[in-house]
Amino acid sequence: MILLSALVAGLLTGLVWARWSGNPYQTPELRHFWLVFVAFLPQLIVIYSPTRENFPEWLVAACLLASQVMLFGFAWFNRHVSGMSILVCGIVLNLAVMTANSGFMPISPQTASRLIPEERLLDIQPGSRLGPKDILLHPQDTRFEWLADRFLPPSWFPYQVAFSLGDVLIAIGAFWMLAKPGSPIQFTNRGTQT
């Protein structure tokens, strides 16, 4: 949700900025875009497959980590694009905390209590999966707890979802990539930028 919001906001900002400055909007020149689709395949399998409940934990974790690694590869190939270095940092942080916590994104019972009914939360033991990518862990049992899914939108916001510091950096990078994808560089006869 945070990434989708950042992409939409970035695109709208870029379009408005281009119109205001009198230049056509330029989409960022991205290399190896096919990696994005390949990166989401493992997630689609473990999240939406009708037999996902039968997948062993290690396979789900491996798929989630493989997805992050492929997204990192895409971002690394495109690190020349505005905002992509911030996005790379976010992916690295998410990959680090997931790798350190059995391949899943940790979330504390306190944070989870804002997302699911309390009676359901009481049935979930710490160390168990919560949703397709999260694992319920107490802060003291979490490696790199400050990188976990620990942030929430205000309680009045209609859609509640937990997100991590890495997610915030990914969203900022994605916003910047579309809001300011680069402008044409013009040169005078002497080769100086105008």
Side-chain angles (χ1 to χ4, degrees):
M1 178 65 175
I2 184 174
L3 177 58
L4 180 60
S5 300
L7 288 170
V8 170
L11 180 61
L12 292 175
T13 302
L15 290 169
V16 169
W17 176 258
R19 186 165 178 85
W20 183 78
S21 63
N23 294 319
Y25 178 75
Q26 295 179 329
T27 57
E29 294 181 24
L30 300 173
R31 302 179 200 158
H32 306 291
F33 195 71
W34 58 270
L35 274 171
V36 174
F37 296 105
V38 174
F40 282 109
L41 282 178
Q43 289 193 35
L44 288 174
I45 291 169
V46 298
I47 295 172
Y48 297 107
S49 170
T51 59
R52 66 185 176 272
E53 299 299 325
N54 299 327
F55 293 156
E57 296 285 309
W58 67 265
L59 179 60
V60 176
C63 286
L64 293 173
L65 292 175
S67 178
Q68 291 292 313
V69 168
M70 285 184 275
L71 285 175
F72 172 80
F74 165 75
W76 183 257
F77 283 130
N78 292 284
R79 62 190 182 279
H80 64 282
V81 175
S82 296
M84 197 61 79
S85 57
I86 300 169
L87 198 144
V88 166
C89 290
I91 293 172
V92 167
L93 293 181
N94 279 351
L95 190 54
V97 69
M98 290 174 71
T99 301
N101 291 281
S102 305
F104 297 99
M105 179 60 77
I107 185 170
S108 71
Q110 294 82 5
T111 303
S113 68
R114 287 263 310 270
L115 304 175
I116 61 175
E118 188 175 343
E119 59 275 6
R120 182 169 166 238
L121 185 59
L122 291 173
D123 292 335
I124 302 171
Q125 295 298 315
S128 299
R129 279 179 49 203
L130 182 69
K133 69 174 185 68
D134 288 314
I135 185 170
L136 189 69
L137 290 173
H138 291 290
Q140 64 271 21
D141 299 326
T142 305
R143 295 181 182 96
F144 304 121
E145 192 273 331
W146 57 281
L147 296 176
D149 273 353
R150 60 196 318 255
F151 302 109
L152 293 160
S155 57
W156 52 263
F157 195 73
Y159 183 75
Q160 291 294 306
V161 63
F163 51 94
S164 66
L165 177 59
D167 294 336
V168 171
L169 293 178
I170 290 169
I172 291 170
F175 171 85
W176 192 253
M177 176 182 65
L178 292 175
K180 194 93 169 120
S183 56
I185 298 174
Q186 299 173 347
F187 295 94
T188 64
N189 291 338
R190 291 184 293 176
T192 57
Q193 187 174 344
T194 59

